[in-house]
Amino acid sequence: VILVIDALKGLSSQDIALSNYIIKEGRSFLLVFNKWDLIKNQHNEKKKTINKIKETFFDAKGINILFISSKEEKYKRKVCEAIIEVYKKWNKKIGTSELNRWFSNVWEASGNQKVPGALKFKYIAQSKIRPPTFNIYHNKNSKVPKVAKRYIINRLREKFGFEGIPIRINLMTSKNPFNKKK
């Protein structure tokens, strides 16, 4: 999805609501601020805009943003290149063995498995693309803290280049085959 925003007006509450809907639906998107040539003090305005986006869209860190002027021909190529890049990220498939090698190191490095009886993640696999969706198996029947889920999502973004792409995580309890039900 390409969301074009008038740079003179800035990000409105309607733009934010629409963007959140796009993220919730699992779509990748590109924020395009048009009429950038009319902005005075572009450097400071760009910083302010990027900071506002970071604060607003914490569920899709690294949202793809372009600051353009539709009057200038050179920006058409930039928009097309950005669309292709976002589409590639959204369609990325990571192999299960690569994911699990990475995942075991990341989770152990977090220090969360050192406490006896602690939550232990056992296995991760990407179940689909568009949006990238991962199934993670763990040892607890209780809910996994949101902090742990967000930690994993952020590490996935960093390692595999999913910046600005909504990521879905399905947490599943793995059953102990030696635990007999009576």
Side-chain angles (χ1 to χ4, degrees):
V1 176
I2 301 170
L3 186 57
V4 180
I5 296 168
D6 186 335
L8 294 171
K9 294 179 182 176
L11 207 58
S12 70
S13 58
Q14 186 174 4
D15 295 328
I16 292 169
L18 187 55
S19 298
N20 282 325
Y21 180 74
I22 293 166
I23 292 168
K24 182 180 163 211
E25 288 299 311
R27 304 294 180 233
S28 60
F29 77 107
L30 178 63
L31 277 176
V32 177
F33 287 86
N34 191 26
K35 300 182 185 175
W36 196 249
D37 56 321
L38 302 176
I39 298 293
K40 294 176 182 163
N41 201 352
Q42 290 180 352
H43 181 72
N44 287 343
E45 286 301 314
K46 191 174 191 176
K47 271 182 159 178
K48 278 199 276 186
T49 302
I50 290 171
N51 285 335
K52 183 174 182 178
I53 290 168
K54 282 180 183 177
E55 291 170 9
T56 306
F57 304 114
F58 59 87
D59 282 341
K61 286 185 178 178
I63 286 180
N64 303 282
I65 308 164
L66 283 179
F67 298 92
I68 69 164
S69 170
S70 60
K71 289 180 180 179
E72 296 180 36
E73 190 71 28
K74 66 181 179 181
Y75 288 111
K76 289 179 185 177
R77 178 175 217 87
K78 281 189 177 188
V79 171
C80 289
E81 289 169 356
I83 291 168
I84 291 168
E85 186 63 34
V86 169
Y87 186 75
K88 283 179 183 177
K89 288 180 192 178
W90 195 49
N91 282 287
K92 190 181 291 187
K93 176 78 171 153
I94 312 297
T96 302
S97 61
E98 182 181 1
L99 270 172
N100 280 292
R101 275 192 305 276
W102 164 82
F103 190 59
S104 65
N105 293 332
V106 164
W107 191 244
E108 285 174 20
S110 73
N112 291 313
Q113 289 195 5
K114 294 185 172 116
V115 179
L119 172 68
K120 289 183 177 76
F121 288 110
K122 299 178 177 185
Y123 180 82
I124 183 172
Q126 187 173 359
S127 58
K128 67 177 241 181
I129 57 173
R130 298 186 205 164
T133 303
F134 299 88
N135 292 341
I136 300 176
Y137 295 87
H138 61 92
N139 66 333
K140 297 282 187 182
N141 287 327
S142 61
K143 281 194 153 195
V144 174
K146 285 183 181 180
V147 174
K149 192 174 176 181
R150 188 167 287 139
Y151 175 81
I152 294 167
I153 289 171
N154 288 334
R155 299 300 80 76
L156 279 165
R157 275 201 180 94
E158 289 170 4
K159 173 65 178 169
F160 298 107
F162 288 117
E163 294 87 4
I165 305 297
I167 294 175
R168 292 194 176 146
I169 300 282
N170 298 321
L171 297 167
M172 304 164 127
T173 306
S174 59
K175 297 190 180 5
N176 184 342
F178 300 105
N179 193 5
K180 305 267 184 197
K181 290 184 180 178
K182 293 183 181 182

